[in-house]
């Protein structure tokens, strides 16, 4: 197989998503959960410890006054457990929402419909060992060592700069020491979480690069995919050819309905019809160049339709009006003179011209500003 050097197509990426293959960094989820968890400790998380302390104190006090039965649990434990459950639920819900948001931001709303529910290949110990000793396993090991080194260096630098404050904790009372220690721990956790988040963002960029690289395609694969999605180019060409042929047959079938055919005289032919009761303006029923024009003129002669030679008008109609389309307003006067001229030569509207007869153009029939050089059709 040729070398895969081309970027993946949208179809290849969509197929990979259907199989659950996306760029995803677990480090980003962990970093986001760490930062949000630290912030929650200053809010509902801090109240959890206070709720536990209050519950223990009230339970101990009430236990000394009565027996630990059902009535005691309803009166002593339940009032203290309700605020604890609320604060603890807020912490759990915040962490859960953070994990979901981090995953959705990385992968979007992903539904891996083609991915098997149970992949037994992951239970193979030999396959797991091969992944550990592979290039990807080596890269993961280097990332882990680098992450541990950077985070350890940040934590060491923070603690070294506050070594005096840490030593003073042993000479303080318990409550002030706990408050001081909590403040230091909170600041350290924020710094470590911030550095971890930056490392996680870098890891996510690496995962996206690796994912895109793994989906690269060869030129042959792109051609095969194009054939599967768009169809065989030869077959599509044949279909378009048949469609054009059928459209041309339908167009030719309407030539006998025309009132007049305007010619170039040999390069172009345009068949027009006007019905005052059903049309707002004269309509082009058929048009063509060269062989098609010859066929239109031939059909017109067979059915006794007047053929009028007018080079400027033929060029104007051919370039500005499509089949089954009414003529533009700027050609109303010119076409009206043509139709009046044809109807006058016929004597009455319903009578056809003799077969093979081509009418000479009236001297006044000339679309202003639309005349073309004689060298063009």
């Amino acid at each position: 197989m040729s070398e895969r050097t081309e970027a993946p197509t949208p179809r290849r990426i969509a197929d990979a998503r259907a199989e659950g293959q996306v760029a995803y960094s677990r480090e980003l989820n962990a970093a986001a959960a760490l930062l949000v968890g630290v912030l929650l400790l200053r809010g509902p998380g801090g109240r959890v410890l206070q709720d536990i302390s209050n519950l223990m104190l009230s339970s101990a006090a009430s236990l000394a006054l009565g027996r630990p039965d059902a009535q005691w649990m309803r009166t002593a434990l339940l009032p203290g457990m309700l605020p604890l459950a609320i604060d603890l639920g807020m912490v759990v819900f915040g962490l859960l929402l953070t994990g979901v948001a981090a995953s959705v931001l990385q992968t979007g709303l992903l539904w891996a419909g083609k991915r098997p529910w149970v992949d037994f290949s992951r239970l193979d110990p030999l396959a797991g060992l091969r992944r550990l000793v592979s290039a990807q396993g080596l890269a993961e090991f280097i990332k882990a060592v680098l992450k541990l080194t950077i985070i350890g260096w940040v934590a060491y630098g923070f603690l070294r700069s506050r070594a005096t404050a840490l030593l003073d904790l042993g000479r303080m009372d318990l409550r002030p020491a706990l408050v001081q220690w909590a403040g230091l721990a909170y600041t350290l956790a924020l710094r470590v979480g911030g550095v971890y988040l930056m490392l996680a963002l870098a890891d996510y960029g690496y995962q996206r690069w690796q994912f895109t690289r793994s989906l690269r395609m060869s030129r042959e694969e792109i051609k095969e995919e194009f054939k599967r999605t768009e169809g065989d180019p030869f077959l599509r060409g044949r279909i378009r050819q048949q469609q054009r042929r059928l459209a041309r047959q339908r167009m030719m079938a309407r030539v006998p309905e025309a009132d007049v055919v305007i010619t170039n005289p040999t390069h172009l032919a345009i068949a027009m019809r006007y019905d005052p009761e059903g049309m707002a303006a004269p309509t082009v029923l058929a048009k063509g160049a060269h062989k098609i024009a010859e066929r239109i003129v031939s059909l017109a002669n067979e059915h006794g339709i007047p053929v009028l030679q007018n080079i400027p008008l033929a060029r104007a109609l051919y370039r500005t009006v499509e089949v089954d389309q009414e003529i533009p307003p700027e050609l109303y006067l010119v076409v009206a003179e043509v139709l009046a001229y044809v109807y006058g030569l016929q004597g009455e509207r319903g009578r056809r011209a003799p077969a093979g007869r081509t009418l000479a153009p009236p001297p006044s029939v000339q679309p202003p500003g639309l005349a073309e050089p004689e060298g063009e059709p």
Side-chain angles (χ1 to χ4, degrees):
M1 181 179 292
S2 60
E3 187 178 358
R4 296 181 174 181
T5 58
E6 305 300 320
T9 62
R11 176 65 180 272
R12 178 68 175 269
I13 296 176
D15 290 343
R17 282 183 60 86
E19 296 175 357
Q21 300 178 19
V22 291
Y24 182 76
S25 172
R26 294 183 178 86
E27 306 292 342
L28 190 57
N29 284 42
L34 175 61
L35 280 176
V36 173
V38 171
L39 294 175
L40 288 173
L41 286 177
R42 296 298 291 263
R47 294 196 297 269
V48 168
L49 297 178
Q50 186 64 36
D51 294 336
I52 294 175
S53 177
N54 294 337
L55 180 60
M56 293 177 65
L57 291 175
S58 62
S59 300
S62 60
L63 184 60
L65 301 176
R67 298 174 55 188
D69 53 9
Q71 180 63 27
W72 174 82
M73 294 183 62
R74 286 194 297 268
T75 58
L77 292 183
L78 289 181
M81 292 181 64
L82 181 60
L84 174 62
I86 294 176
D87 293 333
L88 188 60
M90 292 178 62
V91 173
V92 174
F93 179 75
L95 293 176
L96 179 61
L97 186 62
T98 300
V100 173
S103 298
V104 171
L105 288 176
Q106 293 184 75
T107 64
L109 298 176
L110 176 63
W111 173 255
K114 296 182 180 179
R115 185 174 183 176
W117 290 96
V118 180
D119 189 0
F120 292 100
S121 62
R122 293 184 174 273
L123 302 178
D124 186 359
L126 294 179
L129 182 61
R130 283 194 295 268
R131 284 195 298 268
L132 289 176
V133 299
S134 64
Q136 183 177 359
L138 179 61
E140 294 296 328
F141 175 75
I142 294 175
K143 287 194 304 179
V145 172
L146 183 63
K147 176 183 66 176
L148 183 61
T149 302
I150 294 176
I151 293 178
W153 177 76
V154 171
Y156 171 75
F158 175 82
L159 295 175
R160 182 180 180 182
S161 64
R162 288 163 176 78
T164 303
L166 290 173
L167 293 176
D168 291 339
L169 293 177
R171 295 188 293 268
M172 299 173 60
D173 293 335
L174 180 59
R175 185 176 293 274
L178 289 177
V179 172
Q180 184 72 14
W181 177 85
L184 291 174
Y186 178 77
T187 305
L188 176 61
L190 282 181
R191 292 199 177 188
V192 170
V195 174
Y196 193 15
L197 180 62
M198 289 188 291
L199 293 176
L201 290 174
D203 180 66
Y204 177 67
Y206 169 76
Q207 296 294 340
R208 285 189 64 89
W209 172 81
Q210 190 180 46
F211 172 72
T212 304
R213 187 170 179 268
S214 66
L215 294 182
R216 283 182 180 176
M217 305 172 66
S218 64
R219 295 183 180 272
E220 288 73 14
E221 288 175 332
I222 292 179
K223 292 179 181 178
E224 290 298 324
E225 181 180 289
F226 181 78
K227 288 182 179 180
R228 290 195 303 268
T229 56
E230 302 294 334
D232 191 345
F234 176 75
L235 181 59
R236 287 187 290 111
R238 290 294 302 271
I239 292 175
R240 286 196 295 266
Q241 182 180 2
Q242 292 295 327
Q243 290 174 342
R244 288 194 296 267
R245 184 180 62 83
L246 293 175
R248 188 161 52 245
Q249 289 178 352
R250 290 193 297 268
M251 182 182 70
M252 291 299 182
R254 301 192 61 188
V255 172
E257 304 174 8
D259 292 328
V260 64
V261 173
I262 308 297
T263 64
N264 195 21
T266 58
H267 294 93
L268 304 174
I270 298 93
M272 287 191 305
R273 181 173 182 267
Y274 178 55
D275 182 5
E277 297 180 357
M279 298 180 182
T283 302
V284 172
L285 299 183
K287 72 173 186 178
H290 305 295
K291 295 294 183 181
I292 299 178
E294 294 178 3
R295 179 59 179 162
I296 291 174
V297 172
S298 176
L299 287 173
N301 291 330
E302 292 177 6
H303 294 83
I305 299 171
V307 178
L308 179 65
Q309 297 180 9
N310 190 300
I311 296 175
L313 180 58
R315 290 172 176 170
L317 290 171
Y318 186 82
R319 294 192 177 187
T320 60
V321 188
E322 299 298 329
V323 176
D324 292 329
Q325 194 177 66
E326 295 180 350
I327 64 173
E330 58 266 22
L331 296 179
Y332 281 177
L333 180 59
V334 179
V335 174
E337 293 181 6
V338 168
L339 293 176
Y341 177 71
V342 170
Y343 297 155
L345 291 178
Q346 289 178 332
E348 60 180 5
R349 179 165 181 178
R351 197 176 68 195
R352 296 297 189 186
R357 178 181 176 185
T358 302
L359 304 178
S364 61
V365 176
Q366 177 81 3
L370 294 174
E372 300 285 348
E374 289 295 330
E376 298 183 8

